[in-house]
Amino acid sequence: VNGSEQIIDSLLDTQYVQQFLQSRWNDEASDKDVMTMQQFQNSENSQKWMRYAVDDLAALLYPNICGTLGDSYDAFSYVKNVDSFTGGQKISIQMLGSLAMYFAASRVKSKRNITDEKKALKEALDKFEHDGLDGGKLSFCSGVSTPDLGDVAVFGVLYSVNGLQAHTDSIQLRGGPVKEWYDRMHISVMGEKAQHQIKLGVTCD
């Protein structure tokens, strides 16, 4: 979003990145499942879920993390960890920023005709689970044993809200194929298992 696709394209065009990825794919996959750079980046499937991540999922997560003043305030809690801000700056940024983002999220909901942001996000994830993961039959939406750029894009969008209620709703409380895929992606991208923590007071329906 906002130039990120151009940055990704530039990174994937570098010889070091291409050699690193190809070496990793050769080590991880069977002969018939070895990923290629063309398949990873430009296949129809990869582009489909890349667009889904940018146009659908990211847009729906925004009103879910800033749909209420409380959620928006939580989303700005990261400023507490910015050492270059004074205590007063942290308070003012969190308060004013959360208010501005709350109103911005309301405009997004109006533009996309969203009346229930949680339901809309659930339906978007239902689509990914059904069409992308074939109801859990596929390990990755790439369709092979190695994730492609579509997998990475969807994972990146979901990981970006880690620690917020929207992440809890989308991954931990949802469970099933999407959570299983997310856990596999976390190991593949981050090199370690995901640590799922559900906030106190949250209940599973």
Side-chain angles (χ1 to χ4, degrees):
V1 185
N2 297 329
S4 61
E5 291 178 66
Q6 287 75 19
I7 294 174
I8 291 172
D9 288 341
S10 297
L11 286 172
L12 292 177
D13 282 341
T14 62
Q15 184 177 8
Y16 171 79
V17 171
Q18 291 183 5
Q19 290 177 342
F20 172 82
L21 288 174
Q22 198 62 64
S23 175
R24 179 171 176 176
W25 294 332
N26 291 337
D27 291 341
E28 291 180 349
S30 61
D31 291 339
K32 65 177 182 179
D33 280 344
V34 173
M35 181 73 70
T36 64
M37 184 59 67
Q38 172 66 23
Q39 181 182 359
F40 176 81
Q41 185 177 6
N42 297 317
S43 70
E44 181 179 349
N45 193 68
S46 175
Q47 288 296 307
K48 173 184 177 179
W49 295 109
M50 179 78 172
R51 292 257 55 89
Y52 161 86
V54 174
D55 296 338
D56 296 332
L57 191 57
L60 289 172
L61 274 174
Y62 185 49
N64 271 274
I65 65 174
C66 299
T68 68
L69 284 173
D71 287 342
S72 187
Y73 187 80
D74 286 343
F76 269 82
S77 62
Y78 73 90
V79 300
K80 297 175 182 177
N81 299 319
V82 180
D83 295 334
S84 59
F85 292 157
T86 65
Q89 287 175 325
K90 293 177 181 180
I91 294 173
S92 61
I93 290 173
Q94 188 169 13
M95 292 184 66
L96 294 176
S98 61
L99 185 62
M101 298 304 278
Y102 166 72
F103 286 118
S106 298
R107 288 196 294 271
V108 171
K109 289 176 62 176
S110 177
K111 181 179 179 180
R112 297 179 67 94
N113 295 318
I114 298 173
T115 56
D116 186 335
E117 63 269 21
K118 292 185 182 297
K119 180 180 178 182
L121 178 58
K122 179 184 180 302
E123 290 174 347
L125 290 172
D126 287 345
K127 176 182 178 181
F128 178 67
E129 178 177 322
H130 182 269
D131 297 343
L133 302 176
D134 194 14
K137 295 178 182 178
L138 299 177
S139 295
F140 303 103
C141 68
S142 65
V144 295
S145 61
T146 305
D148 62 14
L149 191 57
D151 285 289
V152 174
V154 176
F155 173 78
V157 170
L158 291 170
Y159 184 78
S160 70
V161 296
N162 187 28
L164 300 178
Q165 186 59 49
H167 188 273
T168 300
D169 293 339
S170 301
I171 305 301
Q172 291 100 308
L173 296 183
R174 180 185 178 89
V178 171
K179 180 181 178 297
E180 293 167 3
W181 164 86
Y182 182 90
D183 289 344
R184 285 191 291 270
M185 285 299 300
H186 198 284
I187 293 174
S188 181
V189 175
M190 310 301 291
E192 61 183 10
K193 292 183 178 180
Q195 300 297 319
H196 296 296
Q197 296 181 346
I198 298 179
K199 293 182 178 180
L200 294 176
V202 174
T203 57
C204 299
D205 294 331

